[in-house]
């Protein structure tokens, strides 16, 4: 039987290859209901940033739910804050830096689903 619902408090966070703290809210490896995409919450502490990286297969959507940051997509950098959504095409080098005084929280949707093997660190 496919698991169709998850509970935030039941999901343990971990640190990904890019250095952010992630909670996989729905991922095909852990929850069989999702098989073509994943949804995670990423938290970047004040003054911290993710490592510059890219995904060769996955397209990502970042939706900022708290805080503010500086997003780098290839050679372009721009600010982002509560309510902003950013599309990251496959193969695009990216990182996000928390420029605020509280946690930067981001919902990250990946299609196909996030994979460590699809994450190439660039620094």
């Amino acid at each position: 039987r496919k698991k169709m619902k998850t509970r935030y408090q039941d999901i343990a966070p971990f640190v990904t290859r890019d250095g952010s703290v992630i909670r996989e809210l729905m991922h095909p490896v852990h929850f069989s209901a999702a098989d073509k995409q994943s949804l995670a919450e990423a938290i970047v502490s004040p003054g911290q940033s993710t490592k510059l990286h890219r995904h060769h297969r996955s397209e990502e959507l970042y939706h900022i739910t708290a805080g503010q940051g500086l997003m780098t997509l290839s050679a372009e950098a721009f600010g982002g804050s509560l309510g902003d959504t950013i599309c990251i095409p496959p193969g695009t080098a990216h990182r996000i830096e928390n420029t605020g005084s509280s946690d930067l929280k981001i919902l990250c949707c990946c299609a196909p689903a996030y994979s460590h093997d699809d994450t190439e660190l660039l620094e």
Side-chain angles (χ1 to χ4, degrees):
R1 179 178 156 142
K2 292 185 175 191
K3 190 166 184 178
M4 305 297 284
K5 176 187 172 192
T6 62
R7 290 171 36 98
Y8 185 87
Q9 61 268 29
D10 295 339
I11 302 169
F14 65 95
V15 177
T16 64
R17 293 185 74 190
D18 73 9
S20 58
V21 176
I22 293 285
R23 209 178 284 261
E24 287 284 9
L25 304 174
M26 188 67 69
H27 192 285
V29 170
H30 308 291
F31 311 104
S32 59
D35 62 354
K36 294 179 176 46
Q37 62 185 326
S38 62
L39 179 65
E41 178 191 61
I43 299 175
V44 182
S45 298
Q48 300 296 309
S49 71
T50 61
K51 296 175 183 169
L52 186 66
H53 65 287
R54 69 175 153 220
H55 309 286
H56 295 279
R57 293 181 302 274
S58 288
E59 174 182 79
E60 281 190 284
L61 295 177
Y62 280 11
H63 180 75
I64 299 173
T65 60
Q68 62 186 32
L70 179 66
M71 184 77 210
T72 300
L73 289 179
S74 295
E76 183 181 1
F78 52 88
S81 59
L82 175 66
D84 291 348
T85 302
I86 302 157
C87 182
I88 306 164
T92 303
H94 60 283
R95 87 168 107 226
I96 192 160
E97 175 186 357
N98 183 337
T99 58
S101 58
S102 60
D103 283 346
L104 173 61
K105 294 184 179 183
I106 306 164
L107 285 178
C108 304
C109 184
C110 293
Y114 174 84
S115 166
H116 289 309
D117 295 339
D118 187 37
T119 303
E120 178 187 2
L121 297 178
L122 299 172
E123 54 182 20

Short mmCIF file of all heavy atoms in Angstrom, two decimals, residues 71-100:
data_model
loop_
_atom_site.label_atom_id
_atom_site.label_comp_id
_atom_site.label_asym_id
_atom_site.label_seq_id
_atom_site.Cartn_x
_atom_site.Cartn_y
_atom_site.Cartn_z
N MET A 71 20.19 34.47 -4.04
CA MET A 71 20.21 33.31 -4.92
C MET A 71 21.19 33.56 -6.04
O MET A 71 21.19 34.63 -6.65
CB MET A 71 18.81 33.09 -5.50
CG MET A 71 18.67 31.88 -6.37
SD MET A 71 18.56 30.40 -5.35
CE MET A 71 19.30 29.21 -6.43
N THR A 72 22.04 32.58 -6.31
CA THR A 72 22.95 32.63 -7.45
C THR A 72 22.54 31.54 -8.43
O THR A 72 22.46 30.37 -8.05
CB THR A 72 24.41 32.42 -7.02
OG1 THR A 72 24.78 33.46 -6.10
CG2 THR A 72 25.36 32.44 -8.20
N LEU A 73 22.24 31.93 -9.68
CA LEU A 73 21.94 31.01 -10.77
C LEU A 73 22.94 31.31 -11.88
O LEU A 73 22.87 32.37 -12.50
CB LEU A 73 20.52 31.21 -11.31
CG LEU A 73 19.35 30.77 -10.46
CD1 LEU A 73 18.03 31.08 -11.16
CD2 LEU A 73 19.44 29.30 -10.14
N SER A 74 23.88 30.42 -12.11
CA SER A 74 24.97 30.65 -13.06
C SER A 74 25.65 31.96 -12.72
O SER A 74 26.13 32.12 -11.61
CB SER A 74 24.46 30.61 -14.50
OG SER A 74 23.99 29.32 -14.80
N ALA A 75 25.65 32.94 -13.61
CA ALA A 75 26.34 34.22 -13.37
C ALA A 75 25.42 35.29 -12.79
O ALA A 75 25.85 36.39 -12.51
CB ALA A 75 26.96 34.73 -14.67
N GLU A 76 24.14 34.97 -12.59
CA GLU A 76 23.17 35.94 -12.09
C GLU A 76 22.95 35.75 -10.59
O GLU A 76 22.85 34.62 -10.11
CB GLU A 76 21.85 35.74 -12.83
CG GLU A 76 20.78 36.74 -12.46
CD GLU A 76 19.46 36.49 -13.20
OE1 GLU A 76 19.37 35.54 -13.99
OE2 GLU A 76 18.53 37.27 -12.96
N ALA A 77 22.85 36.86 -9.85
CA ALA A 77 22.54 36.80 -8.42
C ALA A 77 21.42 37.79 -8.14
O ALA A 77 21.39 38.89 -8.69
CB ALA A 77 23.77 37.15 -7.58
N PHE A 78 20.46 37.38 -7.29
CA PHE A 78 19.33 38.24 -6.96
C PHE A 78 18.77 37.84 -5.60
O PHE A 78 18.95 36.71 -5.15
CB PHE A 78 18.24 38.15 -8.04
CG PHE A 78 17.80 36.75 -8.37
CD1 PHE A 78 16.79 36.13 -7.67
CD2 PHE A 78 18.44 36.06 -9.39
CE1 PHE A 78 16.41 34.83 -7.98
CE2 PHE A 78 18.06 34.76 -9.71
CZ PHE A 78 17.02 34.15 -9.00
N GLY A 79 18.09 38.78 -4.97
CA GLY A 79 17.51 38.54 -3.66
C GLY A 79 16.22 37.74 -3.75
O GLY A 79 15.53 37.75 -4.77
N GLY A 80 15.92 37.06 -2.66
CA GLY A 80 14.67 36.32 -2.55
C GLY A 80 14.17 36.37 -1.12
O GLY A 80 14.98 36.42 -0.19
N SER A 81 12.85 36.39 -0.95
CA SER A 81 12.28 36.45 0.39
C SER A 81 10.92 35.74 0.41
O SER A 81 10.47 35.21 -0.61
CB SER A 81 12.16 37.90 0.86
OG SER A 81 11.35 38.64 -0.02
N LEU A 82 10.28 35.77 1.55
CA LEU A 82 9.01 35.09 1.79
C LEU A 82 8.07 35.19 0.59
O LEU A 82 7.79 36.29 0.11
CB LEU A 82 8.34 35.67 3.03
CG LEU A 82 6.95 35.15 3.36
CD1 LEU A 82 7.00 33.68 3.73
CD2 LEU A 82 6.33 35.95 4.47
N GLY A 83 7.64 34.04 0.09
CA GLY A 83 6.67 33.99 -0.99
C GLY A 83 7.27 33.90 -2.38
O GLY A 83 6.55 33.63 -3.34
N ASP A 84 8.57 34.12 -2.52
CA ASP A 84 9.20 34.04 -3.84
C ASP A 84 9.42 32.58 -4.24
O ASP A 84 9.73 31.73 -3.40
CB ASP A 84 10.56 34.76 -3.85
CG ASP A 84 10.44 36.27 -3.71
OD1 ASP A 84 9.30 36.79 -3.84
OD2 ASP A 84 11.47 36.91 -3.48
N THR A 85 9.29 32.31 -5.55
CA THR A 85 9.53 30.99 -6.10
C THR A 85 10.55 31.13 -7.23
O THR A 85 10.44 32.02 -8.07
CB THR A 85 8.23 30.36 -6.64
OG1 THR A 85 7.28 30.30 -5.57
CG2 THR A 85 8.47 28.95 -7.16
N ILE A 86 11.53 30.24 -7.23
CA ILE A 86 12.64 30.30 -8.18
C ILE A 86 12.73 28.96 -8.92
O ILE A 86 12.72 27.90 -8.28
CB ILE A 86 13.97 30.57 -7.43
CG1 ILE A 86 13.87 31.88 -6.64
CG2 ILE A 86 15.15 30.59 -8.39
CD1 ILE A 86 14.83 31.98 -5.48
N CYS A 87 12.82 29.01 -10.24
CA CYS A 87 12.99 27.81 -11.06
C CYS A 87 14.47 27.63 -11.39
O CYS A 87 15.12 28.57 -11.86
CB CYS A 87 12.16 27.92 -12.33
SG CYS A 87 12.27 26.43 -13.35
N ILE A 88 14.98 26.42 -11.16
CA ILE A 88 16.38 26.10 -11.42
C ILE A 88 16.41 24.98 -12.46
O ILE A 88 16.15 23.82 -12.13
CB ILE A 88 17.10 25.68 -10.13
CG1 ILE A 88 16.92 26.74 -9.05
CG2 ILE A 88 18.58 25.41 -10.41
CD1 ILE A 88 17.25 26.28 -7.65
N PRO A 89 16.71 25.31 -13.72
CA PRO A 89 16.73 24.28 -14.77
C PRO A 89 17.86 23.27 -14.54
O PRO A 89 18.89 23.60 -13.92
CB PRO A 89 16.98 25.07 -16.05
CG PRO A 89 16.60 26.49 -15.73
CD PRO A 89 16.91 26.65 -14.27
N PRO A 90 17.71 22.04 -15.06
CA PRO A 90 18.80 21.06 -14.96
C PRO A 90 20.10 21.62 -15.54
O PRO A 90 20.08 22.37 -16.52
CB PRO A 90 18.29 19.89 -15.82
CG PRO A 90 16.82 20.06 -15.89
CD PRO A 90 16.57 21.53 -15.81
N GLY A 91 21.21 21.30 -14.89
CA GLY A 91 22.52 21.73 -15.36
C GLY A 91 22.92 23.12 -14.95
O GLY A 91 24.03 23.56 -15.27
N THR A 92 22.06 23.85 -14.23
CA THR A 92 22.35 25.23 -13.83
C THR A 92 23.07 25.26 -12.49
O THR A 92 22.55 24.75 -11.49
CB THR A 92 21.05 26.05 -13.73
OG1 THR A 92 20.36 25.99 -14.99
CG2 THR A 92 21.34 27.49 -13.38
N ALA A 93 24.25 25.88 -12.47
CA ALA A 93 24.98 26.04 -11.21
C ALA A 93 24.18 26.98 -10.31
O ALA A 93 23.68 28.01 -10.77
CB ALA A 93 26.37 26.62 -11.48
N HIS A 94 24.05 26.60 -9.03
CA HIS A 94 23.28 27.44 -8.11
C HIS A 94 23.71 27.26 -6.66
O HIS A 94 24.32 26.27 -6.29
CB HIS A 94 21.77 27.17 -8.25
CG HIS A 94 21.36 25.77 -7.95
ND1 HIS A 94 21.56 24.72 -8.83
CD2 HIS A 94 20.74 25.22 -6.87
CE1 HIS A 94 21.08 23.60 -8.31
NE2 HIS A 94 20.58 23.88 -7.11
N ARG A 95 23.38 28.28 -5.89
CA ARG A 95 23.55 28.28 -4.43
C ARG A 95 22.63 29.34 -3.88
O ARG A 95 22.23 30.26 -4.58
CB ARG A 95 25.00 28.52 -4.02
CG ARG A 95 25.34 29.98 -3.90
CD ARG A 95 26.68 30.24 -3.22
NE ARG A 95 27.63 30.67 -4.22
CZ ARG A 95 28.86 30.20 -4.33
NH1 ARG A 95 29.32 29.32 -3.49
NH2 ARG A 95 29.66 30.64 -5.27
N ILE A 96 22.33 29.22 -2.58
CA ILE A 96 21.56 30.27 -1.92
C ILE A 96 22.22 30.58 -0.59
O ILE A 96 22.64 29.67 0.14
CB ILE A 96 20.07 29.92 -1.77
CG1 ILE A 96 19.28 31.15 -1.36
CG2 ILE A 96 19.85 28.72 -0.85
CD1 ILE A 96 17.79 31.07 -1.63
N GLU A 97 22.34 31.87 -0.29
CA GLU A 97 22.96 32.35 0.94
C GLU A 97 21.89 33.01 1.79
O GLU A 97 21.07 33.78 1.29
CB GLU A 97 24.05 33.37 0.60
CG GLU A 97 24.67 34.01 1.81
CD GLU A 97 25.65 35.14 1.43
OE1 GLU A 97 25.87 35.37 0.24
OE2 GLU A 97 26.15 35.79 2.36
N ASN A 98 21.90 32.69 3.08
CA ASN A 98 20.98 33.35 4.01
C ASN A 98 21.57 34.71 4.36
O ASN A 98 22.63 34.80 4.99
CB ASN A 98 20.80 32.50 5.27
CG ASN A 98 19.80 33.10 6.23
OD1 ASN A 98 19.54 34.29 6.22
ND2 ASN A 98 19.25 32.27 7.09
N THR A 99 20.89 35.78 3.94
CA THR A 99 21.36 37.14 4.21
C THR A 99 20.60 37.80 5.36
O THR A 99 20.83 38.97 5.66
CB THR A 99 21.22 38.02 2.94
OG1 THR A 99 19.85 38.01 2.52
CG2 THR A 99 22.12 37.51 1.82
N GLY A 100 19.72 37.05 6.00
CA GLY A 100 18.91 37.59 7.08
C GLY A 100 19.42 37.20 8.45
O GLY A 100 20.50 36.62 8.60
#
